[in-house]
Amino acid sequence: MALPNHDDPTAGDVLGVYLRSQATAFLRALRLHEAGAAGGPSADPAESGEAAYGLRSAARRIAGSLSTFRAVTETRWADSLRTELVWLSSTLADEHAYAARLSRLMEALQRLSGSPDLPAPRGGGAAAPGALTVGSARAGALLERQLTLARTRAHSATLQALGSSRFHAVADAVAVLASEVPLDPVAARGRVGDVLEPLAEVTATRLTGAVCALPAAQGTPYAAHEDASWHEVRRLLRVHRYAREVLGGDVARLSAAGEALDLHRDASEAATASATAARTPRIAPATAYALGVLHADQRHAVEAARLSFHHIWHPAPALP
């Protein structure tokens, strides 16, 4: 491997700057979270949510970068920290996901209840005027009960995680990372174009392959079992975007595509929640009908998000 010009930043320089900045962001969010926790019941929920988002965001970026550029770091350290950060970000995400899902479904019920043009419920058939209004209140109450219970459990798991020795070990490791990045002494001295760019290209290739394997956005009926492949594209896209961030690349298109896949994830999980609620034993027919209409509405949102992603990823050629 050719040695870089001393005036050029090395692969270790570039990766180190990014990892230290994300570690600093993590610690800043942690201080905000601890300040909110110290406030007790009077703490601002918005600040608490901002702190949790900051922790998740920084943890994902550090973990993704350690995965992509593992060869530039001390691999045993990178593998260990990445595993812990994936655990942490996943744990922190659950409570927010349940709250957002409930909010999405409640808003959809309110919108559909006032709409004369309703999607057909599961199993087909026409929408009977007034039928959704009759069942929407009970459907909303059922969803609120189920998702609030799930959110409460996730909140307890989050509190337990943040108070554990495991989390404190992660926080200590990130605090060290904010000032010192353990790097491979050989790979870190290489040129960015020789070391980081090829590693980032690996993530791009994986993403391209996963996108090519997706089903067509139009012309085929919605199939819930296909959601998993779309979720995998979302994960790979996020890792690829973080790699481009490390290299200082333009990520506007990647961010827009990621937002479309976020909407896809939200709608697909909301559709699953409504279908799960509809399988509750002994619910009234009007409640089941409302949940069926809600499920169809969220399936339509899934299809729209898939189409939006394809339009971003495969833009139509400009007319001459």
Side-chain angles (χ1 to χ4, degrees):
M1 180 183 298
L3 293 177
N5 186 304
H6 292 300
D7 294 332
D8 296 332
T10 65
D13 291 336
V14 171
L15 180 61
V17 166
Y18 184 82
L19 288 176
R20 286 193 296 271
S21 69
Q22 293 305 318
T24 300
F26 181 98
L27 297 174
R28 187 183 306 116
L30 179 58
R31 287 193 295 271
L32 184 61
H33 176 271
E34 291 174 341
S42 61
D44 186 350
E47 288 190 358
S48 177
E50 180 184 349
Y53 175 79
L55 285 171
R56 294 197 310 271
S57 177
R60 287 196 303 262
R61 281 173 163 80
I62 296 170
S65 301
L66 291 179
S67 175
T68 300
F69 303 112
R70 177 178 181 269
V72 188
T73 66
E74 290 185 4
T75 55
R76 179 178 295 183
W77 163 83
D79 292 345
S80 175
L81 182 55
R82 184 177 73 247
T83 298
E84 295 304 284
L85 289 173
V86 169
W87 159 75
L88 178 61
S89 61
S90 176
T91 301
L92 293 176
D94 285 345
E95 181 181 359
H96 168 76
Y98 286 122
R101 198 169 307 152
L102 178 59
S103 176
R104 179 187 182 89
L105 289 168
M106 294 299 101
E107 290 175 1
L109 272 177
Q110 292 176 2
R111 169 173 50 81
L112 292 168
S113 297
S115 173
D117 185 18
L118 300 176
R122 289 184 304 148
L132 181 58
T133 302
V134 172
S136 62
R138 290 184 178 180
L142 177 60
L143 287 166
E144 184 169 12
R145 184 164 62 251
Q146 292 181 346
L147 291 175
T148 299
L149 176 60
R151 181 188 179 185
T152 300
R153 289 172 175 168
H155 179 69
S156 298
T158 297
L159 292 179
Q160 183 177 2
L162 293 178
S164 67
S165 58
R166 183 178 184 181
F167 170 74
H168 289 298
V170 174
D172 289 344
V174 175
V176 173
L177 178 62
S179 59
E180 180 183 359
V181 180
L183 297 170
D184 179 87
V186 176
R189 291 201 302 269
R191 291 190 177 98
V192 171
D194 293 337
V195 179
L196 298 186
E197 288 283 2
L199 293 172
E201 189 60 30
V202 172
T203 69
T205 301
R206 290 173 179 167
L207 173 61
T208 299
V211 171
C212 291
L214 289 173
Q218 289 179 303
T220 56
Y222 169 77
H225 70 270
E226 296 172 349
D227 287 346
S229 61
W230 285 86
H231 296 335
E232 177 63 6
V233 168
R234 176 177 174 271
R235 185 189 70 81
L236 291 171
L237 175 61
R238 189 167 62 192
V239 173
H240 175 54
R241 176 162 56 91
Y242 297 158
R244 300 315 305 173
E245 286 180 358
V246 170
L247 296 169
D250 182 4
V251 297
R253 174 170 168 266
L254 298 178
S255 296
E259 289 173 3
L261 293 179
D262 287 345
L263 290 174
H264 176 275
R265 186 272 318 271
D266 294 344
S268 67
E269 291 183 345
T272 299
S274 60
T276 299
R279 290 192 292 270
T280 302
R282 298 183 298 279
I283 60 175
T287 305
Y289 173 80
L291 290 168
V293 172
L294 183 59
H295 180 265
D297 175 72
Q298 294 304 303
R299 290 195 318 185
H300 294 164
V302 168
E303 293 170 338
R306 291 181 179 183
L307 187 59
S308 176
F309 171 79
H310 275 294
H311 284 165
I312 295 169
W313 203 255
H314 306 289
L319 296 176

